[in-house]
Amino acid sequence: MKQQFLSSLFALRSYFDWLPAQLVSILMLFVLATVAFYASKLVSVIILRIFGNREDAVLRKIILAMRRPVRVMVVLAVLLSALPAASGFTWETTQLLQKLLLFIGILMVGYAAIVAFRIMTEAYLQRITSRDHSDDIMIRTHQTQIRVLRRLTEILVGIVTVAAALMTFDSVRQYGVSLFASAGAASLIVGLSARGLLTNLLAGVQIAITQPIRMEDLIIINGDWAWVEEITSTYVVLRVWDWRRHIVPISYFLENRFENWTHNSAAIIGVVFLYVDYEAPIDTIRGFLNEIIKTCPLWDGKVFDCQVADCDAQTLKIRIIASARNALQSWDLRCDIREKIIMRMRAECPEALPRSRFAMVPPRPGEEAWPSAEAISPVIDRPPPGSYMGPGSVMPRGGADL
C-alpha cells in the first residue's frame, strides 16, 4: 500500500517537472498535510456524532480531548510516508525532516496518553464521590491513591516520552551512551543535586501505599486544625479553618509526628467541661443534659455521658462527652450543648452557677470580740497645728512655739 502511495506521488510530481524540484516537494507536502488534517477532522466529527447520543460520557470526553493530538499524528504519519517522494530535498535534509517529524510524533503520543489517563481518573473520582456514603474513608483512600499515583505516572510518562523523542537524534543517543558509561559519577551528581526532589517523590509513593494522611483528613499541625486539601507528588496543601493554607513537603508526614483525627473513621467524641457550684443539683443537671442531647441533630446517638470529673476550692468540674459524625459537627455540637445547658441552669437552677463566698464567723465563747475600727487603725504621731514651717524646717523637741 505504501508503494502504491509513493507511486501515485511520483506520478503526480511528473506533471510539475517544469517547476523547481524543491518548490514542488514543499508544495506537495503542504497539500498532503492540509488534506490529512481536514480528513482527520471530518472523521473525528463523524465519530463524535456516533457516540454523542450514548450515555458513555467518559468516552466522549476522551474523543474530544484526543482530536487535536490525533490530527497532528495523522498529519505527521502522512508526511513521513510522503518524504521519500520529495526528491527535491537532499539526503541530509530528508533525514533531518524524518527525525523532526518522528520527534514530534513521539511527543504527541505521550501527551495523548497523559490526557487520556487524566480523563479516566477524573471520571472515576467523580463517580465514587457522587455516591452517598455514611463513612467516606474508602472514598478518601481512593482519592489519595489515585491523585498521588496519577501525578507520579504523568511524571514518569513525560520523562520516558521526552527521552524516547530525544533518542531519535544520533548526537543525543551517543551522549546517552556516554552517560551510561560514566553512570557512577553521573548518578552521584544527580543524587546529590536532586536529593530533596527524590526524597519527596519516594515519600509520595509511600504515602499513597501506607496512607498516614488522605484527602480531606483532619490533622493538627503546629497547633492548627487543618484539612488535607491537595496531595501532590512533592508537597501537601493544608487548609486551615480560617482559609489559610499550609504548604508542607510531603516527606514531613513520614519524618515528624502529627495528629490525624480521621485516620480510621470520621466519627469523633467531643468533650465539654462545665464548672458549677457545690450546691448544684447534679442529677437535675444530668437530666437537663439528657433532654438537650436528644434535641441536637448533630449527635450521632452513639456516645453520651456526664460525670463529675474534678473539683477545687470553689467549683465542681463536670465532664460531658458526646459523639458526632465528624470533627466539624463535633465542634458545633459542643457549642450547642454549652449554650443550652447554661441557659437552662440560669433559668431553672441558678444556685448551680459558680459563685465566690466570704464568711464572717462570730467569736466563740471566751474569745475576744472583734476589735473596733478605732482600735485597729494605725496611730500616727502628728505635729501640733501651726508648727509646720515648710520644707527644710527643723521641728524643735516637744513641739514648742518658735
Side-chain angles (χ1 to χ4, degrees):
M1 184 175 179
K2 183 178 180 181
Q3 292 296 330
Q4 295 178 355
F5 177 68
L6 291 177
S7 301
S8 301
L9 292 180
F10 280 116
L12 181 63
R13 279 183 54 86
S14 62
Y15 292 102
F16 299 94
D17 289 338
W18 51 277
L19 290 174
Q22 190 172 4
L23 179 60
V24 173
S25 299
I26 294 174
L27 290 175
M28 181 184 67
L29 294 178
F30 177 76
V31 171
L32 288 174
T34 304
V35 172
F37 177 79
Y38 283 102
S40 61
K41 183 177 180 180
L42 179 61
V43 172
S44 64
V45 171
I46 294 173
I47 294 175
L48 283 175
R49 288 183 179 179
I50 294 174
F51 292 96
N53 298 326
R54 299 189 179 183
E55 296 180 357
D56 195 352
V58 179
L59 184 58
R60 181 178 176 82
K61 288 182 180 179
I62 293 176
I63 295 174
L64 282 171
M66 293 295 104
R67 286 186 303 174
R68 292 182 179 178
V70 168
R71 291 172 188 172
V72 174
M73 286 188 284
V74 169
V75 172
L76 293 175
V78 171
L79 292 178
L80 279 172
S81 301
L83 270 180
S87 58
F89 299 132
T90 62
W91 185 85
E92 291 81 4
T93 304
T94 304
Q95 292 296 316
L96 180 61
L97 288 175
Q98 285 181 348
K99 293 177 181 179
L100 183 60
L101 293 175
L102 186 60
F103 175 81
I104 299 174
I106 294 174
L107 292 181
M108 286 293 105
V109 171
Y111 171 74
I114 291 174
V115 171
F117 182 69
R118 180 176 296 180
I119 292 173
M120 289 188 291
T121 53
E122 286 294 336
Y124 177 75
L125 289 176
Q126 291 178 1
R127 183 175 298 178
I128 63 174
T129 52
S130 62
R131 299 174 183 174
D132 186 13
H133 291 279
S134 57
D135 193 358
D136 59 348
I137 293 295
M138 183 190 68
I139 296 176
R140 294 188 287 112
T141 300
H142 288 189
Q143 284 181 338
T144 304
Q145 291 176 341
I146 290 174
R147 290 181 185 276
V148 175
L149 295 178
R150 181 180 66 185
R151 292 182 183 275
L152 293 176
T153 303
E154 290 176 355
I155 293 174
L156 210 59
V157 172
I159 292 174
V160 172
T161 302
V162 174
L166 292 174
M167 292 296 286
T168 57
F169 298 96
D170 296 334
S171 58
V172 177
R173 189 184 301 115
Q174 294 175 1
Y175 180 71
V177 171
S178 64
L179 281 181
F180 279 117
S182 59
S187 61
L188 181 61
I189 294 173
V190 172
L192 290 176
S193 60
R195 183 176 60 86
L197 177 61
L198 295 176
T199 300
N200 286 318
L201 287 175
L202 295 177
V205 175
Q206 188 172 351
I207 282 179
I209 297 173
T210 60
Q211 295 199 352
I213 57 172
R214 303 182 186 91
M215 296 295 297
E216 293 302 326
D217 265 354
L218 175 61
I219 66 174
I220 296 181
I221 181 170
N222 296 330
D224 282 337
W225 288 28
W227 286 263
V228 180
E229 184 176 51
E230 184 180 1
I231 301 177
T232 68
S233 55
T234 55
Y235 63 89
V236 178
V237 180
L238 304 176
R239 183 182 70 253
V240 190
W241 64 272
D242 57 357
W243 296 351
R244 288 181 293 124
R245 300 296 191 275
H246 289 306
I247 310 298
V248 184
I250 199 168
S251 59
Y252 176 89
F253 298 96
L254 299 178
E255 300 172 355
N256 299 277
R257 296 178 58 186
F258 62 95
E259 295 183 21
N260 190 336
W261 286 36
T262 56
H263 182 65
N264 293 325
S265 174
I268 194 170
I269 296 177
V271 181
V272 176
F273 290 104
L274 186 64
Y275 297 89
V276 298
D277 192 75
Y278 272 88
E279 294 185 357
I282 303 299
D283 292 335
T284 304
I285 294 176
R286 186 177 285 111
F288 291 163
L289 289 169
N290 286 322
E291 295 176 5
I292 290 171
I293 197 65
K294 292 178 182 178
T295 61
C296 292
L298 299 177
W299 181 50
D300 62 359
K302 295 180 180 179
V303 178
F304 175 74
D305 199 4
C306 172
Q307 294 175 325
V308 178
D310 199 1
C311 62
D312 56 19
Q314 301 292 332
T315 58
L316 297 175
K317 184 178 180 181
I318 298 178
R319 179 173 174 265
I320 307 163
I321 60 173
S323 59
R325 296 175 183 85
N326 53 56
L328 283 178
Q329 293 185 3
S330 176
W331 172 267
D332 295 334
L333 176 62
R334 285 182 288 163
C335 295
D336 198 14
I337 292 173
R338 195 179 294 113
E339 292 175 3
K340 290 182 178 179
I341 189 59
I342 291 175
M343 293 176 60
R344 193 79 178 268
M345 288 168 54
R346 289 176 57 189
E348 301 187 25
C349 54
E351 69 275 8
L353 300 176
R355 66 189 69 184
S356 298
R357 294 179 174 86
F358 178 75
M360 298 289 292
V361 181
R364 295 180 180 179
E367 293 182 353
E368 295 183 359
W370 289 97
S372 62
E374 291 80 4
I376 63 175
S377 61
V379 178
I380 302 175
D381 186 12
R382 301 178 182 275
S387 61
Y388 179 67
M389 301 179 63
S393 62
V394 178
M395 183 62 137
R397 296 182 178 273
D401 295 336
L402 296 178

